[in-house]
Amino acid sequence: MGLNLVLFGPPAAGKGTQAKRLVAERGLIQLSTGDMLRAARAAGTELGKKVAGIMDRGDLVTDEIVVALIEEQLDSNKGAAGFIFDGFPRTVAQAEALDAALAKRDMKVDSVIRLKVDEEALVARIIKRFEEEGRKDDNPDAFKVRLGNYQKQTARLLPYYSAQGKLTEVDGMANEETVAVSIRKVLDRQNGAKDVMKKGFWARLFGK
Ligand code: ADP
């Protein structure tokens, strides 16, 4: 069975960067709702037009929109080695919808990794990214809104996932490589646990 991972953290915590490394290293599929929405805008679709203003202000689009995008991707990537959810879920309703969507397909969230970062560092990172990439929602006003939404809505997912025993925290202030190493350790532990479970299963079956 695959390993499904939620990468969790405030905007600019480095989720996208780490997700891309995991895609390269482990053949997991990155599902970034932010990237999907930006692609819809670039393609000029109805959806893209609908979300443009909301995104530029830094507000969240509706749960229905992002849940539908995720379900589409789960279905068009059947047999994948696993998924990395990046920037999704962002509300408790999205987390519940994700659990249901995965359960329907005989999957589940295996692990949630929180990239812990301090806010001042985020502001500095975002100013740099705004200069480099010119993403409209990286301007200081929109970024404040995004950070506020994270604190109001998204942070509530931490108790949701820790109650399920799925949450691990990683220091997101370390450099990119160090963060990647910490994430690898969490995933390897997870895979190890899965192997032990499988061995336990055979041992019970054959009485060894
Ligand atoms: P960030 O750098 O904040 O992680 P993203 O690329 O994930 O940015 O998202 C960019 C914007 O797309 C968000 O500010 C929001 O408007 C919209 N968006 C992305 N994912 C979601 C989601 N899961 N729920 C609601 N809105 C979302």
Side-chain angles (χ1 to χ4, degrees):
M1 242 353 260
L3 190 126
N4 301 312
L5 165 73
V6 173
L7 270 184
F8 188 89
K15 302 183 294 287
T17 306
Q18 295 298 330
K20 287 189 174 65
R21 294 178 76 119
L22 290 168
V23 168
E25 286 171 19
R26 301 195 180 225
L28 302 175
I29 292 188
Q30 178 190 11
L31 298 184
S32 157
T33 41
D35 285 351
M36 292 175 210
L37 294 168
R38 277 186 289 278
R41 291 181 66 174
T45 63
E46 281 309 308
L47 171 66
K49 286 179 202 149
K50 193 167 155 188
V51 299
I54 303 172
M55 290 176 74
D56 289 345
R57 281 201 303 277
D59 271 323
L60 295 182
V61 309
T62 65
D63 294 334
E64 288 73 23
I65 291 177
V66 285
V67 169
L69 288 172
I70 289 286
E71 292 219 50
E72 246 170 61
Q73 289 300 314
L74 293 178
D75 285 334
S76 54
N77 290 290
K78 286 200 177 114
F83 295 97
I84 308 164
F85 299 94
D86 157 17
F88 177 92
R90 264 173 151 94
T91 63
V92 172
Q94 289 178 23
E96 288 169 350
L98 176 62
D99 283 345
L102 289 173
K104 234 195 303 184
R105 295 165 179 83
D106 285 325
M107 294 186 284
K108 63 178 171 61
V109 170
D110 295 292
S111 186
V112 179
I113 296 183
R114 172 192 190 185
L115 298 180
K116 268 193 99 170
V117 280
D118 68 61
E119 267 181 35
E120 271 164 47
L122 290 180
V123 176
R125 282 186 189 181
I126 220 69
I127 291 170
K128 185 160 164 265
R129 189 164 83 180
F130 188 48
E131 283 165 1
E132 283 169 5
E133 296 175 24
R135 236 177 81 173
K136 228 172 161 179
D137 63 343
D138 281 345
N139 76 72
D141 286 338
F143 188 68
K144 238 185 258 163
V145 176
R146 286 160 63 203
L147 211 51
N149 284 331
Y150 172 80
Q151 284 152 351
K152 277 200 301 274
Q153 307 240 55
T154 311
R156 290 196 202 163
L157 294 177
L158 293 170
Y160 180 87
Y161 285 122
S162 78
Q164 297 180 18
K166 292 180 179 171
L167 189 68
T168 311
E169 293 188 346
V170 156
D171 176 14
M173 297 304 299
N175 64 47
E176 193 183 316
E177 180 58 33
T178 308
V179 176
V181 170
S182 310
I183 292 177
R184 254 181 244 145
K185 275 191 200 144
V186 175
L187 297 185
D188 288 343
R189 216 186 305 140
Q190 195 93 29
N191 275 329
K194 279 195 168 182
D195 286 346
V196 169
M197 254 161 40
K198 266 190 246 156
K199 278 183 198 137
F201 172 79
W202 290 114
R204 273 203 300 281
L205 204 62
F206 295 109
K208 284 189 184 162

